[in-house]
Amino acid sequence: MGSRAAQVAVFIDAENLAVGAHAALPGRENPVPYEALELLCRDYGDAVIRRAYADWSRPQSGRYQEDLALNGVDLVQVARFGTQQKNAADVRMAVDAMETLIAHPDVATFVLVAGDGDYSPLVQKLREFGKRVVGVGTEASASKRLVSVCSEYKYWATLVAAVDPTARPTVDSAFRLAEARPLLVAALERSSSSSGLASWVKNSMLSLDPSFDERNYGCRSFRDFLDRFPAHVVVEQGEADVRVTLRRPTRTGRSTATA
């Protein structure tokens, strides 16, 4: 029998998401819309495990139960007692993720919706076992330590903007396209020829900054992102992928592609 397709597990700290989403998208009646949850559960592959953790009796997170359930997410009730109230969801989520690591070896990607730096050891252990870890949170609340250890880190407002254009202005105010140029240049400079296939360039950018996402800048694809920098890179279509080459300034002040 052939090997099964790589699978995905999605774990959501729902209370953390509710608080962060309200802060990241102020004034919105529903900052955790059904469509964004749908994208979260389907954007990274076949999500065979979907769980959200919260004290669902609390209105702050309880209001999202229906949309989560309609996306096939299991609602895990987190009981809170004594001094462990703050970390109850963190501990339960970490235990379930480690259980999944052992019991479901076909799960290749773990999507963790969390911003707390306390999740960093969990992420490091999952990556030690060769798993891809995609973190999801808000720009304001995401721990820099957590972002740095993830394979990729996505911002919730960007996911919402991908399914609801009315959230785009909020994202645009947080991300400036010009600020991404140094990262693109640094990634290309890692190649001895200052050139590489687009897939390699993007992976290189993610290794330098896991929070890079072309959607932060309103780009529908990485090719769209590259096309925004005609003065800095040359983009050439190949048979299977595009090649990206860094332009170098000449003595005349014009730029030319590195040979």
Side-chain angles (χ1 to χ4, degrees):
M1 295 179 63
S3 60
R4 296 169 61 189
Q7 299 175 342
V8 177
V10 179
F11 296 96
I12 304 170
D13 184 335
E15 294 179 352
N16 183 286
L17 174 60
V19 172
H22 277 276
L25 296 164
R28 294 182 67 84
E29 182 179 351
N30 182 7
V32 187
Y34 171 89
E35 294 81 5
L37 291 170
E38 182 180 38
L39 181 64
L40 176 71
C41 292
R42 293 165 173 77
D43 206 29
Y44 306 101
D46 182 15
V48 295
I49 296 174
R50 307 175 187 184
R51 296 175 188 165
Y53 303 78
D55 179 350
W56 301 107
S57 66
R58 296 186 175 187
Q60 187 177 41
S61 49
R63 61 179 292 199
Y64 302 117
Q65 288 184 83
E66 183 175 358
D67 284 347
L68 286 162
L70 289 174
N71 274 296
V73 179
D74 293 330
L75 306 178
V76 180
Q77 173 64 26
V78 177
R80 298 177 179 277
F81 301 100
T83 59
Q84 295 302 312
Q85 290 191 28
K86 178 181 180 297
N87 297 323
D90 304 33
V91 172
R92 179 65 187 273
M93 197 162 123
V95 169
D96 284 1
M98 290 305 297
E99 179 184 57
T100 299
L101 174 68
I102 297 168
H104 301 277
D106 287 327
V107 172
T109 299
F110 286 72
V111 178
L112 305 181
V113 182
D116 196 325
D118 290 345
Y119 286 105
S120 299
L122 169 62
V123 173
Q124 290 173 308
K125 183 59 65 174
L126 292 173
R127 296 198 66 186
E128 182 180 323
F129 278 82
K131 305 302 182 180
R132 174 188 178 215
V133 181
V134 180
V136 180
T138 62
E139 188 181 14
S141 63
S143 160
K144 291 183 179 180
R145 180 187 175 199
L146 178 62
V147 173
S148 70
V149 296
C150 287
S151 308
E152 301 178 38
Y153 198 89
K154 308 298 183 183
Y155 291 116
W156 179 253
T158 298
L159 294 183
V160 174
V163 296
D164 182 357
T166 64
R168 190 70 241 171
T170 301
V171 179
D172 289 341
S173 67
F175 297 96
R176 304 294 182 184
L177 184 64
E179 295 173 356
R181 181 182 59 80
L183 181 63
L184 173 60
V185 172
L188 282 164
E189 287 180 337
R190 300 177 86 182
S191 166
S192 59
S193 62
S194 296
S195 178
L197 295 178
S199 55
W200 175 87
V201 175
K202 183 172 181 178
N203 287 336
S204 183
M205 292 177 72
L206 285 169
S207 69
L208 291 169
D209 181 0
S211 69
F212 169 76
D213 184 347
E214 60 270 15
R215 293 181 297 188
N216 290 339
Y217 309 99
C219 301
R220 295 184 178 181
S221 66
F222 188 60
R223 173 64 187 268
D224 182 19
F225 171 81
L226 293 172
D227 287 341
R228 305 287 182 92
F229 295 94
H232 301 92
V233 297
V234 176
V235 181
E236 300 173 296
Q237 181 65 53
E239 292 184 4
D241 199 352
V242 299
R243 175 163 290 277
V244 188
T245 304
L246 183 65
R247 292 184 183 273
R248 293 294 189 186
T250 64
R251 291 181 180 179
T252 61
R254 298 180 179 178
S255 61
T256 184
T258 301

